[in-house]
């Protein structure tokens, strides 16, 4: 352990302990002298010296870094410390501890003496239980960060760039979020299905749908994003992920055989509990989707999540009609130009012919680029005669960075204007009285 021996909190003594009995004797002496205990050495089987309501396992092969983490937590916590930190210096020891005890959180360096990179996370994922998994590394690399998040990490923090107070806040927030998500949902929780439809190709509908799903996931809503396309969509491109199963293989089972087990096997997991059903990936999988199978997919997924976000094709078809009729909201995505507005008016007529209530229909206006003469929002509202759910600001460079990282913007840059617009959009959806 390290010992803070000074009243000013600056004098420290670093002591390494080989046997648990030595730790017990020294700990008693430390408390009798009125000193403040800090970090536990790597060979102490029972681990930490801080008692409290959060149990955290630190897997780090550098003793100096382990001492620093303990010091950061110790100085950020109040005198009655409430985080108990246990340190091991190899992945193998970490797995042994996870088998023997339950932890609220795991702090891990990706590169250990007995494991490297994403393999470390893959090994921990099967043994984590309900623990939050936080990568604490010296490497600042967006691609590595989001690869880690896709592999199962809940957070990616860079050593030296996070304070003790910030680390404690993230620990508590992530643990609370994960524990809350693990609680059974009340029977009264009503699932909400939202269909996003681009009235013409190239309006950015997929980007809007994915980020809406990510925004709900950040609000601790169990969320599934569905790419309901008869041919290749952009989910795989934007998320840099090729799924083993997809919509095509699920619908091939037939409507009668589509159930929670089949649907769960086709879903891919992403950060914050977001799950994704990808569209067809190969030319041989392309083709018309059976409306009954598509409807069965949406009905099943709505029983598996609080929010189902559908990226609909920019064409009218029996499949689109069958799915739209299951939506609680239909959001038409358009740009601020006359062609988009005209296409939206035509699609509105189609929706009305299908018996879709005007109450559940609205529009989302996307500013993909800064147009020289964009139509005023008031003119668009007047021409469409429907609710404008939101206006999305231009963010070409940010969207490009998000694609490079394989992540929705809401996850990559949560403080950005675009992320704020998406979070505001789903909040407006949630505030609608008939969705509560």
């Amino acid at each position: 352990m390290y010992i803070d021996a000074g009243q000013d909190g600056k004098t420290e003594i670093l002591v390494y302990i080989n046997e648990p009995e030595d730790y017990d004797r020294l700990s008693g002496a430390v408390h009798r002298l009125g000193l403040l205990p800090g970090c536990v050495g790597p060979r102490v089987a029972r681990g930490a010296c801080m008692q409290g309501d959060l149990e955290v396992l630190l897997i780090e092969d550098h003793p100096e870094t382990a001492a620093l983490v303990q010091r950061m937590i110790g100085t950020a916590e109040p005198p009655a410390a409430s985080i108990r930190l246990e340190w091991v210096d190899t992945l193998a020891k970490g797995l042994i501890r996870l088998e023997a005890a339950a932890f609220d959180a795991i702090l891990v360096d990706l590169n250990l003496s007995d494991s490297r990179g994403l393999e470390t996370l893959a090994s921990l994922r099967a043994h984590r239980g309900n623990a939050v998994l936080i990568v604490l590394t010296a490497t600042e690399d967006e691609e590595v960060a989001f690869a880690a998040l896709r592999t199962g990490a809940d957070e990616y923090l860079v050593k030296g760039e996070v304070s003790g107070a910030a680390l404690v806040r993230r620990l508590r927030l992530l643990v609370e979020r994960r524990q809350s998500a693990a609680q059974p949902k009340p029977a009264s929780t009503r699932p909400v299905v939202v269909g996003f439809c681009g009235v013409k190709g190239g309006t950015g509908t997929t980007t809007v749908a994915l980020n809406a799903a990510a925004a709900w996931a950040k609000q601790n809503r169990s969320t599934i994003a569905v790419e309901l396309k008869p041919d290749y969509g952009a989910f795989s491109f934007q998320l840099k992920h090729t799924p083993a199963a997809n919509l095509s293989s699920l619908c091939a089972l037939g409507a009668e055989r589509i159930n929670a087990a089949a649907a769960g096997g086709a879903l891919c997991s992403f950060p914050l509990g977001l799950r994704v059903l990808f569209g067809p990936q190969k030319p041989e999988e392309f083709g018309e989707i059976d409306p009954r199978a598509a409807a069965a997919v949406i009905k099943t997924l709505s029983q598996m999540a609080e929010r189902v976000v559908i990226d609909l094709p920019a064409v009218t078809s029996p499949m689109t009609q069958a799915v739209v009729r299951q939506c609680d909201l239909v959001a038409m995505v358009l740009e601020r130009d006359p062609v988009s507005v005209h296409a939206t008016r035509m699609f509105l007529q189609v929706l009305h012919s299908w018996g879709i209530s005007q109450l559940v229909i609205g529009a989302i206006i996307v500013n993909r680029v800064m147009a020289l003469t964009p139509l005023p929002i008031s003119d668009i509202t007047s021409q469409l005669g429907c609710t404008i759910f939101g206006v999305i600001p231009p963010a070409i460079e940010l969207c490009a960075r998000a694609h490079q990282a394989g992540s929705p913007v809401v996850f990559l840059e949560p403080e950005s204007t675009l992320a704020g617009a998406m979070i505001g959009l789903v909040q407006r959806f949630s505030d609608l009285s008939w969705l509560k």
Side-chain angles (χ1 to χ4, degrees):
M1 63 172 70
Y2 77 83
I3 302 170
D4 180 357
Q7 296 298 320
D8 58 2
K10 296 181 180 178
T11 305
E12 299 169 352
I13 304 170
L14 189 64
V15 181
Y16 290 99
I17 306 169
N18 290 316
E19 298 298 333
E21 294 77 12
D22 295 335
Y23 174 82
D24 290 338
R25 288 193 291 271
L26 183 57
S27 180
V30 165
H31 286 287
R32 285 194 297 275
L33 291 171
L35 304 178
L36 175 66
C39 184
V40 177
R43 297 179 182 82
V44 180
R46 61 191 263 175
C49 49
M50 295 180 69
Q51 307 293 326
D53 61 4
L54 275 193
E55 301 285 337
V56 180
L57 178 65
L58 172 64
I59 308 176
E60 166 62 60
D61 58 355
H62 290 98
E64 298 82 2
T65 302
L68 174 62
V69 172
Q70 174 65 57
R71 189 157 57 247
M72 290 168 62
I73 291 176
T75 56
E77 284 286 282
S82 55
I83 293 182
R84 181 178 185 273
L85 187 72
E86 178 171 341
W87 171 36
V88 294
D89 57 357
T90 66
L91 175 63
K93 293 178 182 177
L95 296 178
I96 291 172
R97 292 299 301 129
L98 290 170
E99 288 292 331
F103 289 87
D104 297 299
I106 303 166
L107 292 171
V108 62
D109 190 336
L110 286 180
N111 296 314
L112 302 167
S113 59
D114 59 342
S115 181
R116 308 289 292 180
L118 297 179
E119 292 182 2
T120 304
L121 290 180
S123 299
L124 284 170
R125 188 170 55 186
H127 298 81
R128 66 189 291 184
N130 196 41
V132 167
L133 186 53
I134 300 175
V135 173
L136 192 60
T137 181
T139 304
E140 183 175 8
D141 186 314
E142 283 188 355
E143 289 194 33
V144 172
F146 281 95
L149 293 172
R150 287 194 295 271
T151 305
D154 295 289
E155 185 64 281
Y156 184 98
L157 301 175
V158 180
K159 299 171 184 175
E161 294 188 6
V162 59
S163 66
L167 177 59
V168 168
R169 282 196 301 271
R170 293 305 296 163
L171 274 169
R172 294 197 176 283
L173 176 63
L174 291 168
V175 168
E176 181 178 353
R177 176 184 293 161
R178 191 168 183 87
Q179 291 178 347
S180 174
Q183 297 299 317
K185 301 297 180 185
S188 60
T189 298
R190 180 179 185 274
V192 174
V193 179
V194 181
F196 290 82
C197 185
V199 296
K200 67 182 186 67
T203 57
T205 306
T206 295
T207 299
V208 173
L210 273 178
N211 279 281
W216 261 319
K218 280 184 68 68
Q219 294 180 357
N220 201 28
R221 294 286 190 179
S222 172
T223 305
I224 297 174
V226 186
E227 186 174 37
L228 206 67
K229 302 291 181 70
D231 50 21
Y232 184 76
F235 274 19
S236 180
F237 177 77
Q238 291 203 17
L239 296 175
K240 286 191 170 182
H241 184 83
T242 302
N246 58 55
L247 176 70
S248 178
S249 57
L250 183 58
C251 288
L253 297 174
E256 296 78 10
R257 298 178 59 193
I258 294 173
N259 53 31
L267 294 175
C268 297
S269 297
F270 288 83
L272 300 182
L274 174 63
R275 291 173 289 173
V276 175
L277 177 60
F278 288 82
Q281 301 295 303
K282 303 174 183 177
E284 55 267 29
E285 296 174 337
F286 299 169
E288 291 298 321
I289 300 173
D290 176 15
R292 293 176 61 250
V297 167
I298 301 307
K299 180 179 180 180
T300 300
L301 295 179
S302 68
Q303 297 168 352
M304 300 170 62
E306 296 175 272
R307 300 290 184 264
V308 177
V309 174
I310 310 170
D311 183 12
L312 290 162
V315 293
T316 58
S317 68
M319 182 274 291
T320 305
Q321 181 180 6
V323 171
V324 163
R325 284 177 168 166
Q326 294 196 54
C327 291
D328 299 288
L329 282 177
V330 180
M332 302 173 296
V333 182
L334 70 150
E335 294 183 276
R336 295 176 65 177
D337 64 79
V339 175
S340 283
V341 175
H342 176 73
T344 305
R345 291 173 61 189
M346 295 300 101
F347 189 69
L348 267 171
Q349 294 180 23
V350 172
L351 291 176
H352 293 155
S353 72
W354 289 346
I356 307 302
S357 169
Q358 181 76 9
L359 182 67
V360 305
I361 303 171
I364 299 171
I365 301 172
V366 174
N367 295 281
R368 300 193 73 195
V369 294
M370 294 297 291
L372 294 177
T373 56
L375 287 176
I377 302 297
S378 58
D379 286 1
I380 296 174
T381 304
S382 175
Q383 291 187 48
L384 296 182
C386 68
T387 302
I388 303 299
F389 289 137
V391 179
I392 308 302
I396 295 177
E397 293 184 1
L398 179 55
C399 288
R401 288 204 306 275
H403 162 250
Q404 186 65 27
S407 165
V409 170
V410 170
F411 289 168
L412 179 68
E413 295 284 352
E415 303 301 322
S416 65
T417 302
L418 176 56
M422 294 307 309
I423 292 169
L425 175 67
V426 301
Q427 188 57 54
R428 281 190 288 278
F429 288 160
S430 299
D431 289 341
L432 294 173
S433 60
W434 67 89
L435 295 184
K436 294 181 179 179

